[in-house]
Amino acid sequence: MSEYPKTARNTVNRYRGRGAYDYETIHTIVNTCPILHVSFNPSPEDPFPTTLPMIGVMGSFSSPSASLSSQPVDLYLHGYVSSRLMRLPTTEEVANPDEGLPLCIAATHLDGVVLALTPNHHSMNYRSAVLHGYATLVTSPEEKLYAMELVTNNMVPSRWENTRVPPNKVEMQSTSILRVQIVSASAKVRTGEPGEDRNDEKDEAVRGRVWTGVVPTWIAFGEPVPAKTNRVGVPDHVRELVEVCNRDGEKTAIEAVEERKG
C-alpha cells in the first residue's frame, strides 16, 4: 500500500474529495515547498504551541535511492545547533525518550486566487500537506552530511557539488539536523474554477457586473544578481533553477484552473 493509513488525526473531513494520502502527492508537496512550518510544544508549562518556518526535505539515509512515491521516508529539518527546537529532542520534559519530540509539519503551495460572484464562494487553488511525526537529533556524521547535502540540493539542484565542500569542522558543529519519523500524513488539493451559488448563476444582473475566474499564482524567480565579491559568471545550475521553476510553476498554476478536484 503506497499511502499513509487514515486515522482520526489525519483524515480530511471537509471536502473529502480533495484529500489525498498517497506517498507521492504528500512527499512531492513537501519537497517542492521552499518553507515548511513546524509546530511543537516548547515546554509543559507553556500552554501555547510554537510554529517556526524551517527548511526541510524528505529522504532516506538507510535507502538513499528510495522512491518518494512507493514507500515512507523520513523528513530532515536543518537548523542552528543552539536553537530551541534542536535542543528539545533531548529534553525529557517534552520529548518521549523512546520515540522523540512530537512535531506537526505543514507545507502549502498557492496555485491561484479564485474569484466568484459572491465573497462567500471566493477560494484559493492550493496544494497542502500536514504531517505528524517524532523528531530525534541526528548524531551520525555520515547521516548528518547526507541530510545537509540533500537539503542543499533540494533548494537548488546540483548546488552542493558546485560549492566549497565538505563543510569544515566549525560548520558541522554549528549545524544540527533533526530526523522526523512520520507516523501520519495527508494532503488536500483544490483545483478548478469558482463554485457558484445556483441562485447567483441565474441572476443575470449579478452576472452582468461581477467578474469571475481564477488568477493563476506561482513563485517567480528573477534574474540572478551577483554578489559584490563574486568573480564568476552565473553557472548553468543556477540558470536552470530559474528556468525550470518559472516554467513548472506557471504550468502547474494554469493546469490547476482547468482541472476540478473535490
Side-chain angles (χ1 to χ4, degrees):
M1 182 175 64
S2 299
E3 65 178 29
Y4 291 97
K6 292 183 182 180
T7 66
R9 181 189 297 117
N10 72 329
T11 297
V12 175
N13 292 311
R14 181 165 171 77
Y15 295 118
R16 293 194 175 193
R18 298 179 185 176
Y21 305 88
D22 62 285
Y23 296 144
E24 182 174 12
T25 297
I26 294 169
H27 297 166
T28 300
I29 289 173
V30 172
N31 278 9
T32 55
C33 191
I35 299 294
L36 305 178
H37 287 91
V38 181
S39 300
F40 58 96
N41 288 318
S43 75
E45 293 77 26
D46 192 340
F48 297 103
T50 296
T51 300
L52 298 177
M54 299 188 70
I55 298 172
V57 62
M58 306 205 72
S60 173
F61 174 67
S62 60
S63 182
S65 60
S67 169
L68 293 179
S69 62
S70 62
Q71 62 191 92
V73 292
D74 296 321
L75 172 64
Y76 289 97
L77 296 172
H78 174 283
Y80 190 65
V81 65
S82 63
S83 64
R84 176 169 53 174
L85 179 57
M86 295 298 167
R87 299 195 309 268
L88 283 179
T90 59
T91 306
E92 294 184 1
E93 288 79 4
V94 293
N96 185 317
D98 297 321
E99 297 178 309
L101 177 70
L103 297 181
C104 177
I105 302 98
T108 306
H109 294 275
L110 176 62
D111 295 323
V113 179
V114 182
L115 306 177
L117 290 170
T118 175
N120 195 55
H121 287 281
H122 281 43
S123 188
M124 302 282 186
N125 282 341
Y126 59 84
R127 289 163 289 140
S128 63
V130 176
L131 303 83
H132 296 88
Y134 290 100
T136 55
L137 195 65
V138 173
T139 56
S140 160
E142 293 79 14
E143 184 175 5
K144 187 175 182 179
L145 201 60
Y146 159 81
M148 292 170 69
E149 180 175 354
L150 193 67
V151 168
T152 302
N153 284 340
N154 190 62
M155 291 176 59
V156 181
S158 301
R159 185 60 183 171
W160 181 267
E161 55 266 38
N162 282 284
T163 61
R164 189 268 296 155
V165 287
N168 60 38
K169 184 178 180 180
V170 173
E171 291 166 341
M172 290 293 288
Q173 291 176 341
S174 64
T175 302
S176 286
I177 299 290
L178 293 182
R179 183 201 319 109
V180 185
Q181 182 178 4
I182 305 302
V183 297
S184 69
S186 61
K188 195 173 183 181
V189 179
R190 199 248 188 231
T191 59
E193 296 186 349
E196 302 288 7
D197 181 88
R198 291 183 180 180
N199 291 328
D200 286 333
E201 288 184 323
K202 298 176 183 178
D203 191 327
E204 294 298 328
V206 171
R207 293 183 62 186
R209 68 179 181 82
V210 179
W211 187 91
T212 63
V214 180
V215 181
T217 309
W218 64 92
I219 294 177
F221 287 70
E223 182 66 22
V225 179
K228 293 179 180 178
T229 56
N230 175 71
R231 294 184 178 181
V232 299
V234 180
D236 289 342
H237 71 280
V238 174
R239 292 203 177 277
E240 288 173 6
L241 170 75
V242 175
E243 179 183 349
V244 172
C245 288
N246 285 343
R247 181 194 65 210
D248 291 353
E250 181 177 12
K251 181 174 181 288
T252 299
I254 296 299
E255 289 178 346
V257 180
E258 302 168 350
E259 180 184 354
R260 182 66 183 179
K261 182 179 179 64

